[in-house]
């Protein structure tokens, strides 16, 4: 029998971007714009990316290193306030094994001519397959990739 456990954790990450809240919101909410920064390492393939950005809509993003395992992100958008806030719940999987369940909040606050993004995650990390510190580092990497994508020319925002 598999030993079961749950580790709870909450963390907050702040980033400042030299882009208006509308532009940051666009990079978070548009499938084409998000696909430029919301991905695994360069040597991973993308197996699937679907995004239905609306309250109650779902997002699925999966990929992984050649030979596996497949990392899968499955989210449901719970609250959306354009240019201000996105709240979603999500499950993370390794192959078919659920490794965590989380609630994530992204707040966008004007900061001069730019944006302060405040990301807060409340997570339940399951059966020792994932650790809060790893999730925080991965999220920091993704938010840094978002920042790099915002330095390019605006796509549509």
């Amino acid at each position: 029998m598999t030993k079961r456990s749950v580790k709870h954790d909450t963390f907050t990450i702040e980033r400042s971007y030299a882009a208006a809240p509308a532009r940051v919101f666009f990079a978070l909410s548009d499938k084409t714009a998000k696909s430029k920064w919301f991905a695994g390492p360069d040597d991973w393939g993308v197996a699937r990316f679907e995004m239905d950005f609306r309250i109650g809509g779902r997002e699925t993003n999966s990929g992984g290193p050649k030979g596996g395992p497949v990392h899968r992100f499955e989210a449901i958008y719970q609250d959306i306030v354009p240019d201000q806030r996105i709240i979603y719940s999500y499950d993370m999987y390794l192959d078919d094994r659920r490794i965590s369940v989380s609630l994530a909040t992204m707040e966008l606050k004007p900061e001069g001519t730019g944006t302060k993004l405040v990301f807060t995650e409340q997570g339940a990390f399951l059966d020792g397959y994932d650790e809060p510190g790893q999730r925080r580092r991965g999220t920091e990497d993704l938010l840094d990739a978002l920042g790099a994508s915002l330095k390019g020319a605006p796509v549509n925002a």
Side-chain angles (χ1 to χ4, degrees):
M1 178 175 208
T2 302
K3 182 180 177 190
R4 301 293 182 177
S5 64
V6 179
K7 181 184 274 187
H8 296 274
D9 192 62
T10 298
F11 60 86
T12 299
I13 302 167
E14 296 184 3
R15 291 288 187 271
S16 294
Y17 301 120
R23 183 143 179 251
V24 176
F25 185 83
F26 180 81
L28 296 168
S29 62
D30 179 81
K31 182 179 179 182
T32 301
K34 190 169 184 178
S35 70
K36 294 179 180 177
W37 65 270
F38 192 78
D42 290 338
D43 59 340
W44 284 19
V46 175
R48 188 169 139 203
F49 181 39
E50 298 172 7
M51 186 175 180
D52 178 13
F53 188 77
R54 61 182 173 83
I55 294 173
R58 295 181 177 270
E59 179 177 342
T60 299
N61 192 327
S62 65
K66 192 172 188 172
V70 174
H71 296 246
R72 189 171 78 243
F73 166 90
E74 291 188 2
I76 300 172
Y77 292 102
Q78 304 293 340
D79 186 61
I80 298 169
V81 179
D83 304 339
Q84 295 179 43
R85 179 177 66 224
I86 300 169
I87 301 174
Y88 57 94
S89 54
Y90 76 97
D91 298 341
M92 284 295 297
Y93 294 85
L94 281 179
D95 291 327
D96 291 327
R97 179 180 295 128
R98 181 182 290 131
I99 63 170
S100 67
V101 178
S102 295
L103 177 68
T105 302
M106 297 178 120
E107 298 172 89
L108 306 177
K109 301 175 180 187
E111 185 175 67
T113 59
T115 302
K116 180 177 185 177
L117 182 145
V118 179
F119 177 93
T120 303
E121 180 165 334
Q122 299 163 288
F125 299 86
L126 308 174
D127 304 327
Y129 293 112
D130 198 1
E131 286 291 320
Q134 291 174 288
R135 179 66 52 82
R136 180 185 178 102
R137 281 186 297 282
T139 303
E140 289 171 336
D141 290 346
L142 287 170
L143 294 177
D144 291 345
L146 168 61
S149 79
L150 291 167
K151 291 180 181 176
V155 179
N156 262 344

